[in-house]
Amino acid sequence: MTQAPARDPHSARRHDREIISLALPAFGALVAEPLFLMADSAIVGHLGTPQLAGLGVAAALLTTAVGVFVFLAYATTAAVARRVGAGDLSAAIRQGMDGIWLAALIGAAVIAAVLPTAPALVELFGASPTAAPYAVTYLRVSTLGIPAMLVVLAATGVLRGLQDTRTPLYVAVGGFALNAGLNAALVYGAGLGIAGSAWGTVIAQCAMAAVYLTVVVRGAGRHGASLRPDAAGIRACAHAGVPLLVRTLSLRAVLMIATAVAARLGDTAIAAHQVVLSLWSLLAFALDAIAIAGQAIIGRYLGADDAAGARAACRRMVQWGIVSGVVLGVLVVAARPLFIPLFTSDAAVRDTLLPALLVVALSQPVAGVVFILDGVLMGAGDGPYLAWAMLLVLAVFAPVALLVPTFGGGLTALWWAMTLMMAVRMVTLWLRTRSGRWIVTGAVRA
């Protein structure tokens, strides 16, 4: 980042209020999302082990199919926020509608690809002969809800860009409640088994998409924005999303390599790794909430041609990231006697995961900076740099992680490799923000 002007405490407090007002609801919405799968698991688990195993395989496939398109939320947030900053709400909503149309088209393509290949995909993931039929059933039914899931992602990006993170929170909480109720009613009341769980999730996701579309359509009506699909606008959204897709796939490759290495270290190590990874993911939700606020705030400042405001907001959010990382790290250390017994009573697994947990705790300040700067650059629409930077990170991480079984150190060494990955990410992101090249003002990033 370039040289900062004298600090203004009033400006800092204004940024703090803005960050809190956007980040807290965003965190609630982020946490509500994985509760869908938890509710499904709790209900399906009582049907039997094969059904629960089938759900696990299908859920992994669905999470991957939807997760790689998270750019629908991120790119839409940045583009809409720029238009908001420029004071053109009609164009902002029009931009959001292009993202929603793109989501619907991608969803239709995913259905066409997954429905006929569901058995092969389940086999590829190594489902047992007893679990495979349940996995195929759940996957095929749930796939019908993917267009709604992707529309929810894009519409969430629209509202975040409009500086509204409360509505996504309310929709997420309502969707979770509806999903849980429908699952119980269809699985047990209607006797549909695992298919009932899948249909409950599909209906809940469609209801959430309907609520989002109602909000966006009403906004379009108020500001005179067209709802018709625009080929040029949809292509522009897809073009902006490709670099973020590369970034997301690279990050998922990092996580897959880490899990594969943990599996090579033995059953105790992979069990401990899953516990540590679940905590790491929960901490990521907390930090990602601030990053989401950053996307919306930075995009708005740049759209308003306020480069100084964007720099000041970036500095303040980095401070938030560091402090949040320190707090989360301390909480991990303090809560470990309570956290670990929730997941395992195996002494060997506990002994393996404890030092890895301490590594995660120590790395949280670094993670705080990474998430914030990632959100800042997303808000600036700096996707191509994020893609190349994440490919570099993957190139550094992969050989280090793959050498862990050879050189020893076990799970702790693997998580030090994960910390190295985050440190490299921090350096690449810091260099970019330091250069100031991300600061491109205007309603549209040229």
Side-chain angles (χ1 to χ4, degrees), residues 149-174:
M149 296 178 194
L150 298 183
V151 166
V152 165
L153 279 179
T156 299
V158 175
L159 295 182
R160 288 173 181 170
L162 294 171
Q163 317 296 298
D164 176 10
T165 57
R166 292 182 180 274
T167 299
L169 171 61
Y170 300 148
V171 175
V173 172

Side-chain angles (χ1 to χ4, degrees), residues 1 15 19 297-298 301 308-320 372-373 376-377 433-434 438:
M1 289 171 287
H15 288 312
I19 292 167
I297 293 169
I298 294 297
Y301 273 117
R311 290 191 186 96
C314 177
R315 285 192 297 273
R316 191 59 176 172
M317 282 183 285
V318 168
Q319 294 168 2
W320 269 80
I372 297 308
L373 294 183
V376 166
L377 295 184
T433 53
R434 178 79 175 177
W438 58 280

Side-chain angles (χ1 to χ4, degrees), residues 99-155:
I100 290 173
W101 279 111
L102 177 61
L105 291 173
I106 293 174
V110 172
I111 287 180
V114 173
L115 282 182
T117 60
L121 290 171
V122 167
E123 183 179 357
L124 182 65
F125 264 59
S128 68
T130 55
Y134 298 109
V136 171
T137 297
Y138 190 93
L139 180 59
R140 277 182 165 158
V141 175
S142 294
T143 297
L144 300 177
I146 284 181
M149 296 178 194
L150 298 183
V151 166
V152 165
L153 279 179

